[in-house]
Amino acid sequence: MARIFISYARKDGAEAANELTNRLYALRHQVFMDVHGIPGGVKWEEELIERAAWCDVMLVIVTPASNESKYVYHEVREAEKNNKLIVPIRIGDVSLPNHLRSYNAYKLVND
């Protein structure tokens, strides 16, 4: 199964990130999401960078807040540096930021 990093902004992407994480866990993937995957006492910024290198796939939850997030930006750049598959997932009609425009994006649809 794949190792998947969920990159998102908590302000407006946490619900979608949690739902996606639960669905991927159910499919037996290894999923990293910051609120579930960083133990106490760990330097969280370093862990995010390590996990961006660890993953096979980075799913980027694209929301207005993630488009402004320096953390999401740096996570994507780290995944690019390590030649990871990056898949933007748009929530609503939000536009892709410049650093994600070269990637084919999907739009999350609730069923």
Side-chain angles (χ1 to χ4, degrees), residues 24-96:
L24 291 166
Y25 274 140
L27 295 170
R28 309 265 191 262
H29 292 288
Q30 294 179 48
V31 183
F32 174 80
M33 183 178 160
D34 64 342
V35 295
H36 304 296
I38 302 177
V42 172
K43 294 182 178 179
W44 61 270
E45 289 185 69
E46 291 175 14
E47 184 70 12
L48 291 175
I49 296 304
E50 287 179 24
R51 290 300 186 130
W54 160 88
C55 71
D56 300 313
V57 178
M58 177 175 283
L59 300 179
V60 183
I61 306 298
V62 182
T63 61
S66 75
N67 284 348
E68 300 297 321
S69 171
K70 70 178 183 179
Y71 299 109
V72 171
Y73 176 82
H74 289 297
E75 291 163 2
V76 169
R77 289 297 185 217
E78 191 65 27
E80 287 177 328
K81 185 168 70 174
N82 287 283
N83 299 309
K84 305 302 178 172
L85 176 63
I86 298 170
V87 181
I89 301 174
R90 295 173 43 240
I91 305 299
D93 293 325
V94 65
S95 298
L96 291 176

